């Protein structure tokens, strides 16, 4: 079964064709990151307009790259939630028209479910149940993936996502947007013990996290240094910050696996690309006899292939949308279909 998927929830326009949820035939992506970098973050109106400009051409590219004719498509999947509402609406509107024109079913896909499904592409043998750490620009979640379309949230951030903290840290250090990959590279040259940064614990909710205090601590540290005319050790701060994020995420991920009795952990989302996080999780998993799965960097960030992959499993479950499908800015991963 060949599914074409449309993803436009943030600042990447992406269209992909995937066979049976696991085999990528094409994965066309156009990132707007350079444009938003001028403003230090995503400007929703610009994102929507850029999606409109390129979505049709990108769809043609997805067909060409895959060597697939339009008649060969069995269904159209689309990210309908969560994300920037204007940006999502572009994809949803386009996907509806495409499904109607092709006379094929329309499958609504939750963006975070898509991030998890990136693992099905990277690891054809991976099947639920497993524990998944989802760490993206907008979400930090510990999810028990009970089945392809059945999820239970075991822990989550109470405020900012880890990715948001990475981006803000990069911004205050003046190293650009998006900041995660840049902080990752800079941290490799720094001393993780250079700066003392806070670690938050939420009493009674051991699997929940909080990154806003850490983010504020970094901002205050940099501003204070600027006021005093002191030099910041940027690499040291990047390393200390990354260590604090890993200290929040790694032990909770292992604890969530233990609690749910899962012997497999997958990671997903843009922050899953972080090399320190990967290394620490790998070490912990090894010593606990847990199998760790992390998708290649190309599948960690937003892409259409992951939406097509999840779309396949949603379709098998009978989750189809009608032409009145609406976009939704916020929606939990365990929503009722
Ligand atoms: O999943 P994603 O591509 O988009 C959302 O759905 O949000 O995640 C983007 C986030 C950004 O905050 C970006 O800074 C972060 O992932 N990121 C990283 C790395 N690469 C991307 N964070 C830490 N280390 C990285 N290597
Ligand atoms: Zn994403």
């Amino acid at each position: 079964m060949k599914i074409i998927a449309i993803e436009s929830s943030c600042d990447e326009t992406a269209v992909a064709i995937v066979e049976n949820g696991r085999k990528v035939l094409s994965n066309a992506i156009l990132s707007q990151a350079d444009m938003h970098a001028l403003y230090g973050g995503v400007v929703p109106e610009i994102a929507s307009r850029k999606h409109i400009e390129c979505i049709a051409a990108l769809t043609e590219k997805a067909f060409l790259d895959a060597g697939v004719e339009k008649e060969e498509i069995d269904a159209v999947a689309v990210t309908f939630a969560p994300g920037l509402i204007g940006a999502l609406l572009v994809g949803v509107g386009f996907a509806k028209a495409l499904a109607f024109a092709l006379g094929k079913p329309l499958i609504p896909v939750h963006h975070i479910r898509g991030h998890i499904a990136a693992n099905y592409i990277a690891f054809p043998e991976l099947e639920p149940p497993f524990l998944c750490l989802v760490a993206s620009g907008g979400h930090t979640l510990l999810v028990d993936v009970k089945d392809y379309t059945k999820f239970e949230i075991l822990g989550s951030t109470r405020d900012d996502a880890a990715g948001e903290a990475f981006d803000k840290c990069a911004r205050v250090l003046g190293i650009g947007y998006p900041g995660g990959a840049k902080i990752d590279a800079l941290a490799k040259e720094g001393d993780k013990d250079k700066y003392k940064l806070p670690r938050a614990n939420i009493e009674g909710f051991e699997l929940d996290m909080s990154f806003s205090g850490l983010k504020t601590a970094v901002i205050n540290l940099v501003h204070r240094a600027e006021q005093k005319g002191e030099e910041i050790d940027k690499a040291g701060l990047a390393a200390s910050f990354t260590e604090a994020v890993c200290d929040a995420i790694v032990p909770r991920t292992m604890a969530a696996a233990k609690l749910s009795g899962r012997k497999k952990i997958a990671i997903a989302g843009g922050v899953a690309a972080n090399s320190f996080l990967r290394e620490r999780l790998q070490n912990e998993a090894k010593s606990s006899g847990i199998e760790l799965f992390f998708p290649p960097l190309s599948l960690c960030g937003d892409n259409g292939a992951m939406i097509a992959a999840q779309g396949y499993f949603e379709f098998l479950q009978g989750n189809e949308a009608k032409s009145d499908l609406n976009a939704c800015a916020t929606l939990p991963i365990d929503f009722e279909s």
Side-chain angles (χ1 to χ4, degrees):
M1 176 176 188
K2 293 186 182 74
I3 294 185
I4 186 163
I6 313 287
E7 154 65 39
S8 67
S9 64
C10 192
D11 61 346
E12 262 99 25
T13 323
V15 185
I17 300 176
V18 174
E19 195 166 25
N20 297 334
R22 306 258 183 185
K23 188 174 171 207
V24 179
L25 303 182
S26 65
N27 196 10
I29 303 179
L30 199 76
S31 175
Q32 310 168 355
D34 288 351
M35 212 163 315
H36 298 290
L38 294 171
Y39 306 94
V42 179
V43 182
E45 257 322 300
I46 295 178
S48 312
R49 264 182 269 147
K50 290 292 155 192
H51 286 313
I52 292 172
E53 279 172 25
C54 70
I55 200 160
L58 215 57
T59 302
E60 286 303 327
K61 181 170 165 36
F63 277 110
L64 277 176
D65 290 353
V68 165
E69 297 298 326
K70 302 205 168 61
E71 301 72 47
E72 295 176 60
I73 292 295
D74 298 294
V76 179
V78 63
T79 305
F80 77 107
L84 300 171
I85 193 68
L88 284 167
L89 278 168
V90 176
V92 168
F94 187 84
K96 277 185 199 176
L98 187 61
F100 181 73
L102 298 176
K104 298 294 174 187
L106 178 67
I107 310 168
V109 177
H110 188 285
H111 182 77
I112 301 301
R113 292 186 181 192
H115 272 301
I116 296 173
N119 283 283
Y120 302 137
I121 297 169
F123 306 101
E125 75 288 0
L126 177 66
E127 289 178 358
F130 56 88
L131 181 92
C132 190
L133 160 69
V134 182
S136 70
H139 297 81
T140 308
L141 295 173
L142 289 164
V143 185
D144 185 16
V145 183
K146 294 170 184 288
D147 207 339
Y148 291 101
T149 57
K150 216 167 151 217
F151 306 85
E152 185 187 347
I153 299 172
L154 301 179
S156 66
T157 179
R158 290 294 183 102
D159 39 56
D160 296 329
E164 149 94 9
F166 267 101
D167 291 337
K168 283 284 149 58
C169 181
R171 189 170 170 170
V172 76
L173 286 176
I175 55 173
Y177 168 86
K182 288 171 179 156
I183 295 275
D184 195 355
L186 195 59
K188 294 199 171 96
E189 298 154 24
D191 169 12
K192 64 181 171 48
D193 298 318
K194 175 76 193 187
Y195 294 101
K196 209 167 149 32
L197 295 170
R199 270 82 171 149
N201 285 309
I202 297 145
E203 226 179 282
F205 298 90
E206 275 71 26
L207 297 180
D208 281 353
M209 295 157 268
S210 161
F211 295 101
S212 75
L214 173 63
K215 183 182 84 177
T216 308
V218 170
I219 293 170
N220 288 346
L221 196 146
V222 173
H223 286 169
R224 261 198 306 271
E226 276 169 6
Q227 279 162 3
K228 289 185 189 162
E230 289 169 4
E231 189 89 9
I232 282 280
D233 171 3
K234 290 189 180 182
L237 187 53
S240 304
F241 167 80
T242 304
E243 181 77 354
V245 173
C246 291
D247 281 350
I249 293 179
V250 175
R252 286 178 176 85
T253 305
M254 302 313 297
K258 202 167 168 197
L259 183 85
S260 56
R262 303 300 179 211
K263 289 278 172 235
K264 293 182 275 187
I265 298 178
I267 58 176
V271 182
N274 187 268
S275 58
F276 294 87
L277 185 65
R278 283 176 173 234
E279 196 184 326
R280 277 188 56 178
L281 280 170
Q282 214 156 22
N283 292 340
E284 290 286 330
K286 206 170 166 192
S287 59
S288 311
I290 282 179
E291 205 178 348
L292 186 68
F293 299 84
F294 42 79
L297 299 191
S298 58
L299 289 172
C300 283
D302 290 348
N303 64 86
M306 68 185 199
I307 302 302
Q310 183 61 24
Y312 174 71
F313 297 107
E314 299 286 348
F315 181 79
L316 293 185
Q317 201 57 35
N319 295 334
E320 279 183 39
K322 297 274 175 286
S323 58
D324 60 354
L325 174 69
N326 205 354
C328 201
T330 53
L331 186 72
I333 191 172
D334 53 353
F335 71 100
E336 289 282 327
S337 304

